Structure formats: C-alpha cells, structure tokens
Amino acid sequence: MAEKDSQLMEKIVALCKRRGFVFPSSEIYGGFAAVYDLGPYGVELANALKREWWKYMVQMREDIVGLDSAIFMHPKIWEASGHVGGFSDPLAECKACHTRVRADHLLEEIGVVADEKMSETEINALFDEHRQNIVCPKCGKKDFGTVKKFNLLVQSNLGNFTGDTSVEPVYLRGETCQGIYVNYKNVLDSTRVRVPFGIAQVGKAFRNEITARQFIFRTREFEQMEMQYFTHPDNEMTEYEKLRAYRWQFYLDLGMKEENLRWHKHENLVFYAKEAYDIEYQFPFGFKELEGIHARGDYDLTQHSKFSGVALEYLDPQTNEKYVPHIIESSVGVGRMLLAFLTEAYVEEAMENGEMRTVLKLPKKLAPVKIAVFPLMKNKPELVAKAQEVFQALKSEWLCEFDDNGNVGKRYRRQDEIGTPYCVTVDFDTIGAGDPSPDGAEAGDAPLTGTVTVRDRDTMQQERVPIVELKQYFQEKL
Ligand SMILES: [Zn+2]
C-alpha cells in the first residue's frame, strides 16, 4: 500500500466516482450533505462485506443468531437508552461566518484531547482555555461562540397526522443495537439459545452529525453491523477478551495487513461501561476507529426493564440462578469497512512496458465482479458470439461482466480498477485452428470447444484454458 501517498484519499474518492463505487447523494440537485449512494460496484462490495461478516458472526457460530428489527421503534426506547438526554455532540459556531464545527474536533486539531462524552461545562472550560488557538476552518478567524451540546437523534413525524407538537417525537434509530436489546426476550423464548449467546444484526441507522468529514467515513445515514452478546456477569470479561480476538482475526482472515490495524483503549468510559476498545485502521487520513468492541455491563437490559416494566432477567435452567445478563458488543459500519478495504486494496504499480496501472487488489471473495469476458475484437461477429457463449456459461455461477468496449488494454485497465480477479479473452485461436475438440466441430457450432486466455489481475500472467475446463478452473481459483 502507498502509505506515504498524500493524495491517496483524493485518488480513492475519484476512483469511487469514476468506476461506480460511491456517488454523492442527489448529485444532479447539487448534492445532499453527508449522505452517499453506493453505485453498481459499491453495492457488490458492500454486499460481500456484509456476507463475510454474517458468515463470521452467525453462520460459523452456534451461539449467535440473526435479527432484522425495524428502523422505527417506540420513542421510550431512546429515553431508556439515554439517547434523548445524552446522545449529543459539542457544537461550536463561528460568529464570523456561522460555520458549525464539532468542538472536540477543533480541539483535536490543535493537539488537545477532547471527548464527545464530556459535559457541556467540561468542554466549554477546555475550549475557553485554548480559545486563542482555535481557528475557524472556513474563514480563518478565531471567534467561536459558546459550545452547545447538539442531540444527534433524527426526528420524524411518523404517525403524527395533526402536526401536534405535544406528541412525543418518533426517531429514526440512532443505532441498531437497541432493536436487539428489546428483542432479547423474544429470541430467548422462541429459539434454543441459552446464555451465553449473541444476536447479530445488519441495518441502517441515522445520526444528525454536525460535520461529516472524510467521505464515507462519517455519514448521516449509514449501515451498521452489530452483535450483542449476553453473558453471565462473572464471565463478561473472559467473553470480552474472546470477542476482541475473534474480531481482530476477521480482518486478518480477509487479508488486511496487521500493521494497518491497532487497538485503541478508551480512557473516558461512560459510567456503566467496563471496558472499551476500538480496532483502528490506518485510513489515508491516519489511524481512526473502524470497529468498537465494548463491555457494557448490565446497563442496557436494566434500563429497558425499568422503562418498559418487563422483567428481563435470565433464569439459568441448570442452576436456577436468576440474573440480568451483561452485554459485550461488536459494532462496525459498512461504509467505514468499505473505505478500509478500498484503502487496503488500492495499488499503483508500473507495468513491464513502463506504464502505470491502478489496481484494486481486493480478496477474491470481496471483488464486485469475479470474471470479465471479452471478445478480442468487437467487429468480428464470430468472436463476439463465442465470447457471449462463454459469458452465458459462467454467469450462473459467478458475477461476470461482458465487455467489448475499446481495445483489450483499456478493458484490462477498467477491470483492474474495479478489482476483477480474472479476465477471459476469446481470440482467433479460440475459434480457429488448433481447436482441441475431439469431433473437429465447426467454430460456433459446439459452445464448449476451443481455448481462451485467462489473465490474472495480480500477476498479469495469461494462460490458455480449454473452455470445457473453464468452470472447474474457476471453481478451484475462486
Ligand atoms: Zn468562520
């Protein structure tokens, strides 16, 4: 990876737009701040990441089950969780140009450690202490007002048909895990799981982020992959260590270099938390949080029990012990993971002819397109027909792309940039002499005769493979 490339972020953003991974939302209307759309290859990559996560967190685990809870929930849930009262960011507004910036980010930029969890008084004291050094990123003046806490929950008018402002607002969920907590009892009562067990969920969440920065790293609408694990209080920390190791291994198994990952331990814990670590990834803008792994104690179930009036204790069927399970969680955003894997995969390298190529060296199981099929030339109908036959034969097994645009070199460049592991080219040798088919059939008559070249994305080596063996060849490779 080009760690020292100061342009890397711009290059990734440009590639995402150029090749259809990520588009700014509502672009023809001038854009919509802090929201992004996934393009044709972005959605494939995101789906592959979610598939791998689900495989790791549900399929491979007998003690974890899945869930898909709704985005809208009873408003009391957000009171119980503490989001209505305390889910806020410190907001500072420049008096000169009215730019709003997160006060903790402003402090961070001048090397002062701040925390979004600080109270309004605490952060104002710290802000005042350094006020003379805090510069507005927009206009350059040093004239910020008082820091105010700004709630991140996004309100809606769901079910409120009269515009009555006295009705308790309904929120778009600020995190997916609340849907897990409130279904804990349903899952226990309807499945065979027993403590310790986990519930995993992938879904959208919404936060009124003040400043969304760094592309898809922080967005107002985003998708989370969360797993909440319910344990006996005595085992919370043992299970926590196991979960940390398991999640770390996830990234290594998907080919991330360990040097690009590190642990960050939270120093300022919320009052109920036992321990909190983040897995940080070395993004183009430095090491930042990729995934949070936290030991939350019995806070979540206790709060929901208190606010709902429903007992959420667990009765151990063996020991008859009754207790409120403690929760450890793993939480990661799809967009953030996507950006991390794009960063990891992005390579610029010189080819033998001296030209540079950009290639996404994504693990094969993450690559949006697995195989691209080309006719060597577009204006030779017999090549195009044969290439179509090959394409039709492969597409039921893998996501394939047929491409007859431009010359082969241009097509390779395109497939390299979207990370396609293999390109199959149908050329004159495929349809002409040297046809290895035993019955000597005419070109085009029998679809499974002839050979094609298969080019490997990473080595750029080409080899000839008989069409009859192509499926088996890719079954072994992919
Ligand atoms: Zn300003």
Side-chain angles (χ1 to χ4, degrees):
M1 197 188 89
E3 287 99 345
K4 298 282 179 277
D5 188 346
S6 61
Q7 305 294 303
L8 182 57
M9 190 61 191
E10 286 85 343
K11 287 174 179 174
I12 290 172
V13 172
L15 183 138
C16 282
K17 176 79 199 296
R18 181 170 77 246
R19 294 304 188 191
F21 280 87
V22 181
F23 303 130
S25 164
S26 322
E27 207 178 6
I28 61 167
Y29 285 92
F32 192 64
V35 182
Y36 287 90
D37 299 335
L38 292 176
Y41 301 118
V43 67
E44 292 296 340
L45 178 53
N47 283 345
L49 290 170
K50 288 187 264 184
R51 210 158 46 229
E52 287 307 310
W53 186 87
W54 196 265
K55 184 176 176 191
Y56 224 79
M57 301 308 284
V58 179
Q59 187 184 330
M60 306 284 284
R61 298 284 299 244
E62 295 139 66
D63 55 342
I64 302 177
V65 292
L67 180 79
D68 187 6
S69 67
I71 286 171
F72 289 108
M73 289 184 264
H74 197 290
K76 277 269 177 299
I77 287 173
W78 303 105
E79 275 177 54
S81 68
H83 284 76
V84 171
F87 188 50
S88 54
D89 276 346
L91 170 72
E93 187 174 326
C94 172
K95 284 184 189 163
C97 74
H98 302 288
T99 294
R100 290 176 182 145
V101 195
R102 268 177 65 169
D104 54 328
H105 289 166
L106 285 170
L107 287 161
E108 219 172 81
E109 250 142 55
I110 56 165
V112 179
V113 180
D115 200 297
E116 77 268 18
K117 290 194 272 307
M118 285 175 157
S119 74
E120 208 165 85
T121 321
E122 282 171 331
I123 191 125
N124 266 303
L126 196 64
F127 202 81
D128 284 340
E129 198 183 311
H130 298 278
R131 190 171 278 283
Q132 69 281 4
N133 299 321
I134 300 171
V135 183
C136 172
K138 183 95 174 278
C139 73
K141 297 216 171 72
K142 297 175 179 175
D143 193 14
F144 278 100
T146 314
V147 179
K148 292 194 184 76
K149 294 284 253 181
F150 182 83
N151 196 286
L152 295 175
L153 283 177
V154 178
Q155 287 189 18
S156 82
N157 65 347
L158 188 82
N160 185 347
F161 302 103
T162 56
D164 185 350
T165 48
S166 67
V167 174
E168 199 170 10
V170 174
Y171 301 100
L172 278 76
R173 66 181 172 199
E175 56 185 24
T176 54
C177 56
Q178 298 302 328
I180 294 179
Y181 304 143
V182 299
N183 276 296
Y184 147 84
K185 202 174 164 345
N186 282 338
V187 172
L188 254 189
D189 293 347
S190 60
T191 69
R192 297 177 51 81
V193 292
R194 294 290 170 261
V195 171
F197 75 97
I199 303 175
Q201 165 158 244
V202 178
K204 288 276 176 101
F206 304 82
R207 290 180 190 176
N208 227 342
E209 299 279 355
I210 294 160
T211 37
R213 304 184 302 177
Q214 290 134 351
F215 194 40
I216 53 172
F217 182 78
R218 193 187 303 282
T219 51
R220 290 184 178 141
E221 174 179 340
F222 59 105
E223 197 164 25
Q224 291 187 304
M225 299 185 273
E226 295 202 295
M227 194 282 292
Q228 308 290 319
Y229 199 76
F230 301 83
T231 74
H232 187 282
D234 294 348
N235 301 332
E236 181 179 6
M237 296 321 286
T238 333
E239 292 295 345
Y240 180 68
E241 289 311 318
K242 273 158 60 181
L243 181 62
R244 277 182 57 196
Y246 192 66
R247 290 306 305 155
W248 184 263
Q249 193 59 41
F250 172 83
Y251 295 104
L252 300 185
D253 286 354
L254 279 178
M256 274 198 175
K257 289 192 205 77
E258 204 157 14
E259 74 221 40
N260 289 331
L261 296 166
R262 73 177 188 197
W263 287 107
H264 166 75
K265 188 177 189 210
H266 287 226
E267 298 303 336
N268 287 316
L269 291 176
V270 281
F271 69 94
Y272 52 79
K274 294 280 176 55
E275 198 153 81
Y277 274 90
D278 293 339
I279 295 178
E280 291 188 335
Y281 177 74
Q282 189 170 22
F283 289 98
F285 39 84
F287 273 102
K288 293 280 174 194
E289 179 189 342
L290 172 59
E291 167 163 348
I293 302 163
H294 304 161
R296 304 179 55 85
D298 66 358
Y299 178 76
D300 305 293
L301 291 183
T302 306
Q303 285 293 103
H304 284 304
S305 186
K306 202 159 88 188
F307 277 73
S308 67
V310 176
L312 295 174
E313 289 152 313
Y314 176 74
L315 176 67
D316 190 301
Q318 251 118 53
T319 63
N320 277 328
E321 187 190 356
K322 218 174 183 185
Y323 58 88
V324 176
H326 284 211
I327 291 174
I328 57 174
E329 73 168 0
S330 141
S331 171
V332 58
V334 175
R336 224 169 251 205
M337 197 188 273
L338 195 136
L339 183 57
F341 277 97
L342 285 176
T343 306
E344 189 78 11
Y346 187 96
V347 175
E348 287 173 356
E349 61 186 19
M351 296 186 289
E352 266 175 28
N353 63 8
E355 279 175 39
M356 294 296 288
R357 70 162 184 158
T358 299
V359 48
L360 283 187
K361 295 194 172 177
L362 287 165
K364 290 171 195 171
K365 57 176 125 180
L366 297 183
V369 175
K370 310 297 183 205
I371 305 160
V373 182
F374 313 147
L376 182 68
M377 291 163 83
K378 184 184 185 162
N379 52 5
K380 298 283 176 204
E382 63 275 35
L383 289 182
V384 175
K386 194 73 174 177
Q388 267 294 343
E389 282 167 16
V390 172
F391 170 68
Q392 297 299 335
L394 295 175
K395 76 173 190 188
S396 62
E397 304 271 334
W398 300 282
L399 207 146
C400 300
E401 203 168 85
F402 183 85
D403 190 359
D404 59 3
N405 263 321
N407 59 39
V408 171
K410 224 171 167 180
R411 296 177 210 155
Y412 281 153
R413 202 149 312 144
R414 196 181 117 75
Q415 295 301 333
D416 282 348
E417 288 199 3
I418 64 172
T420 306
Y422 298 103
C423 292
V424 171
T425 303
V426 170
D427 55 22
F428 291 107
D429 287 346
T430 311
I431 55 170
D435 189 330
S437 68
D439 57 358
E442 290 292 306
D445 276 4
L448 295 177
T449 59
T451 63
V452 291
T453 63
V454 178
R455 181 237 197 202
D456 181 292
R457 175 194 70 196
D458 298 340
T459 64
M460 290 188 278
Q461 297 293 314
Q462 300 192 17
E463 60 176 314
R464 283 207 87 84
V465 180
I467 295 174
V468 273
E469 290 169 20
L470 216 44
K471 268 198 180 177
Q472 199 196 333
Y473 175 88
F474 285 126
Q475 261 147 15
E476 282 160 21
K477 295 270 187 184
L478 287 163

